[in-house]
């Protein structure tokens, strides 16, 4: 009997899980990839930086997965709102939550609710034209911007603030963001790390890119770098990344108007300002057993924008066990949540790794289903979902609808840009339905 699987979330984790299911069961499986948006591709579309277009080429592979005759995209359907998880479990032989981690981890410091303080999910969503964040109020009128966190998302945000309009106009950065950047007063970008250069989680390419920006100079304080001999203990890739940070230290200040200042050993303690963010207060730290410990020495970093790039959380779904401590669904090592219910990608392992890390993750979930003896049991599957959604008047979209949105986005692109995303769901539906 044909097996039916519902995969919730049309991002990389969802598509790799679908690909694994296709490889395992061929024509003997029916797969519905359900997403709350009419557009697929998740973080490829709304997370990967617009000036990293080559990474986005992987969507061709996801498209091929979705074009298989046994696989559908069911867009504009939100699990927990339009359909409950137990309903899906009664319709499909297995359900996989590949919903990612779209919520910002809170900073939890006084003043973090002031206007001007945003999380990276919101800021990245803003420049990528995500429907949830396209309307974000981003104030670029102050010369300073503070970016909290020492991961690649922090680098992405710094690069977007530091690049020229010319450097970005050939990308799919949202028009509203490009317009805001064109008049941006931001000149001093600060990347705040609570630990040191050796503990930063930047990758080599991303750190190196900051050395090649048209109007911005990356600056590391020489005193923040450990003795060079200590780099030998680092894993080779990480050592290379640190080499870039070393190259940013001790350079004469050139004439580029924008600076990207790495502020290592600084822990954010408060955001201050009369009625909006005006400065970030940081405390100098030192490392104790690899942990950042405050020294009591405080500094103020003048800024009108604070972007917290400190990680993400998965959104809870009614009826699914969720851990506040983990910020995601607790699973076993293979991604099992409950009988018939699995998780893959960031919803399973937290916000870490590259896009490609999700591939083995998706395959291992399918292996777990095989080990669990998941088979076709005669459940209603996709046809049953159609009946349920129609009864509720839910206007779901399909992959052909997405292809129409895609064509409309390409058609309305700025000259030289690959697309201008449609951020209004109502407009997407008008095109897709
Ligand atoms: P990340 O690499 O985990 O970095 C998070 C940073 O936030 C760490 O430096 C962490 O410091 C810091 N942090 C956490 N809580 C904090 C707090 N309360 N106060 C101050 N700092 C805090 O996460 P990410 O940058 O969000 O990236 C997520 C994943 O996506 C990563 O695997 C990343 O490599 C990947 N990604 C890749 C690319 C790319 O390949 N181009 C681009 C974007 C994202 P500690 O280390 O001290 O905890």
């Amino acid at each position: 009997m044909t097996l039916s699987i519902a995969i919730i979330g049309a991002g990389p984790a969802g598509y790799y899980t679908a690909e694994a299911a296709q490889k395992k069961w061929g024509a003997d499986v029916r797969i519905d990839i359900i997403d709350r948006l009419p557009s697929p591709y998740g973080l490829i579309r709304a997370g990967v930086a617009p000036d990293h277009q080559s990474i986005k080429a992987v969507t061709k592979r996801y498209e091929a997965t979705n074009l298989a005759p046994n696989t559908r995209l069911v867009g504009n359907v939100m699990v927990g709102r339009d359909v409950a998880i137990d309903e899906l479990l009664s319709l499909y032989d297995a359900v996989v939550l590949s919903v990612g981690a779209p919520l910002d981890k809170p900073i939890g410091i006084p003043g973090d609710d002031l206007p001007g303080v945003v999380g990276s999910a919101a800021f990245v969503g803003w420049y990528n034209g995500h429907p949830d964040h396209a309307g974000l109020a981003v104030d670029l009128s102050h010369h300073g911007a503070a970016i909290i966190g020492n991961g690649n998302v922090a680098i992405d945000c710094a690069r977007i603030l530091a690049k020229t309009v010319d450097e970005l106009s050939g990308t799919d950065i949202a028009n509203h963001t490009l317009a805001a950047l064109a008049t941006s007063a931001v000149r001093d970008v600060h990347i705040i790390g609570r630990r040191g250069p050796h503990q930063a989680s930047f990758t080599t390419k991303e750190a190196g890119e900051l050395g090649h920006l048209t109007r911005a100079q990356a600056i590391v304080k020489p005193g923040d770098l450990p003795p060079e001999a200590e780099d030998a203990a680092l894993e080779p890739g990480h050592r290379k990344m640190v080499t870039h940070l070393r190259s940013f230290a001790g350079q004469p200040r050139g004439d580029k108007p924008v600076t990207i200042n790495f502020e290592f050993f600084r822990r954010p303690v408060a955001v201050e300002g009369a009625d909006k963010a005006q400065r970030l207060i940081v405390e100098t730290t030192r490392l104790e057993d690899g942990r950042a410990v405050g020294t009591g020495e405080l500094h103020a970093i003048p800024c009108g924008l604070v972007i917290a790039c400190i990680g993400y959380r998965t959104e809870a779904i009614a009826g699914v066990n969720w851990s506040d401590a983990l910020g995601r669904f607790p699973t076993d090592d293979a991604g099992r949540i409950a009988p018939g219910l699995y998780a893959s990608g960031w919803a399973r392992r937290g916000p870490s790794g590259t896009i490609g890390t999700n591939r083995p993750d998706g395959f291992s979930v399918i292996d777990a289903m095989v080990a669990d003896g998941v088979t076709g049991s005669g459940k209603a599957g996709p046809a049953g979902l159609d009946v349920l959604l129609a009864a509720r008047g839910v206007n779901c979209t399909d992959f052909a609808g997405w292809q129409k949105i895609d064509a409309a986005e390409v058609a309305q692109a700025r000259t030289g840009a690959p697309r201008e995303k449609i951020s209004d769901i109502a407009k997407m539906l008008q095109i897709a339905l």
Side-chain angles (χ1 to χ4, degrees), residues 52 105 148-153 156 194-195 201 206 268 309-312 346 351-353:
H52 283 174
K105 189 177 134 188
I148 303 171
N150 269 185
N152 283 332
V153 172
D156 282 349
R194 60 184 173 183
R195 300 190 292 158
S201 50
E206 281 61 32
C309 305
I310 59 172
Y312 302 106
W346 283 10
S352 65

Side-chain angles (χ1 to χ4, degrees), residues 200-257:
S201 50
F202 313 132
T203 49
T204 307
K205 176 179 165 284
E206 281 61 32
E209 261 183 290
L210 297 188
H212 303 282
L213 301 180
T214 304
R215 63 163 191 166
Q217 179 174 353
I219 299 172
V220 168
K221 295 187 208 72
D224 281 348
L225 287 160
E228 205 162 341
E230 292 181 16
D231 292 3
L234 299 173
E235 174 274 312
H238 202 59
R239 195 184 314 142
K240 216 166 158 201
M241 185 283 289
V242 172
T243 307
H244 286 305
L245 296 179
R246 289 193 182 282
S247 76
F248 302 153
Q251 298 236 356
R253 176 73 183 95
D255 55 6
K256 293 185 177 179

Side-chain angles (χ1 to χ4, degrees), residues 37-60:
L37 295 180
S39 53
Y41 307 146
L43 272 194
I44 299 291
R45 188 171 151 89
V48 171
D51 57 342
H52 283 174
Q53 285 297 313
S54 59
I55 297 178
K56 300 190 185 223
V58 72
T59 56
K60 280 280 152 216

Side-chain angles (χ1 to χ4, degrees), residues 28-377:
D28 295 332
V29 64
R30 295 280 170 277
I31 304 166
D32 275 353
I33 303 174
I34 301 173
D35 201 284
R36 70 189 179 95
L37 295 180
S39 53
Y41 307 146
L43 272 194
I44 299 291
R45 188 171 151 89
V48 171
D51 57 342
H52 283 174
Q53 285 297 313
S54 59
I55 297 178
K56 300 190 185 223
V58 72
T59 56
K60 280 280 152 216
R61 181 184 193 123
Y62 305 157
E63 182 182 67
T65 299
N66 216 137
L67 288 173
N70 58 347
T71 301
R72 307 192 307 176
L73 174 68
V74 184
N76 196 39
V77 173
M78 187 161 169
V79 174
R81 178 191 67 191
D82 301 316
V83 56
I85 204 77
D86 349 341
E87 290 172 327
L88 291 176
L89 285 167
S90 69
L91 289 171
Y92 295 86
D93 296 308
V95 176
V96 185
L97 301 178
S98 309
V99 291
L103 305 181
D104 280 307
K105 189 177 134 188
I107 330 178
I109 56 175
D112 64 3
D113 54 350
L114 281 170
V117 183
V118 296
S120 53
F123 187 76
V124 171
W126 173 68
Y127 65 63
N128 272 325
H130 189 287
D132 289 353
H133 306 295
L136 186 75
V138 176
D139 184 351
L140 302 178
S141 64
H142 194 289
H143 68 88
I147 300 176
I148 303 171
N150 269 185
N152 283 332
V153 172
I155 291 204
D156 282 349
C157 294
R159 210 177 55 250
I160 296 297
L161 288 173
K163 275 192 167 180
T164 61
V165 165
D166 275 357
E167 281 172 297
L168 292 168
S169 68
T171 75
D172 64 352
I173 193 166
N175 273 338
H176 59 247
T177 302
L178 203 59
L181 291 172
T183 57
S184 168
V186 173
R187 293 294 175 270
D188 299 311
V189 179
H190 302 268
I191 302 181
I192 321 289
R194 60 184 173 183
R195 300 190 292 158
H198 275 193
Q199 290 74 35
S201 50
F202 313 132
T203 49
T204 307
K205 176 179 165 284
E206 281 61 32
E209 261 183 290
L210 297 188
H212 303 282
L213 301 180
T214 304
R215 63 163 191 166
Q217 179 174 353
I219 299 172
V220 168
K221 295 187 208 72
D224 281 348
L225 287 160
E228 205 162 341
E230 292 181 16
D231 292 3
L234 299 173
E235 174 274 312
H238 202 59
R239 195 184 314 142
K240 216 166 158 201
M241 185 283 289
V242 172
T243 307
H244 286 305
L245 296 179
R246 289 193 182 282
S247 76
F248 302 153
Q251 298 236 356
R253 176 73 183 95
D255 55 6
K256 293 185 177 179
V258 175
T259 57
I260 299 175
N261 304 277
F262 286 89
E263 313 275 1
F264 291 110
F265 303 109
R266 299 272 194 266
R267 183 174 83 85
V269 291
V271 182
E272 291 182 352
D275 48 9
K276 59 180 189 171
Q278 287 173 315
R279 61 203 157 265
L280 175 70
I281 308 300
V282 293
E283 180 182 17
T284 303
T285 61
R286 62 165 184 274
L287 283 183
E288 274 181 21
D289 298 327
R291 286 182 53 249
V293 176
T295 61
E297 189 186 311
L298 299 181
H299 308 262
I301 297 177
C303 56
L305 176 66
V306 177
I307 311 171
C309 305
I310 59 172
Y312 302 106
R313 290 159 76 80
T314 292
E315 198 165 5
I317 296 178
V320 182
N321 190 17
W322 189 85
S323 157
D324 189 46
L326 294 172
R328 58 182 159 81
F329 310 114
T331 68
D332 74 358
D333 287 349
R336 295 180 184 89
I337 300 177
L341 185 61
Y342 302 81
S344 71
W346 283 10
R348 162 183 169 182
R349 52 169 219 283
S352 65
T354 62
I355 300 294
T357 314
N358 295 300
R359 192 163 187 274
D361 200 271
F363 276 71
S364 76
V365 162
I366 297 302
D367 287 344
M369 284 183 202
V370 173
D372 294 345
V374 172
T375 51
S377 63

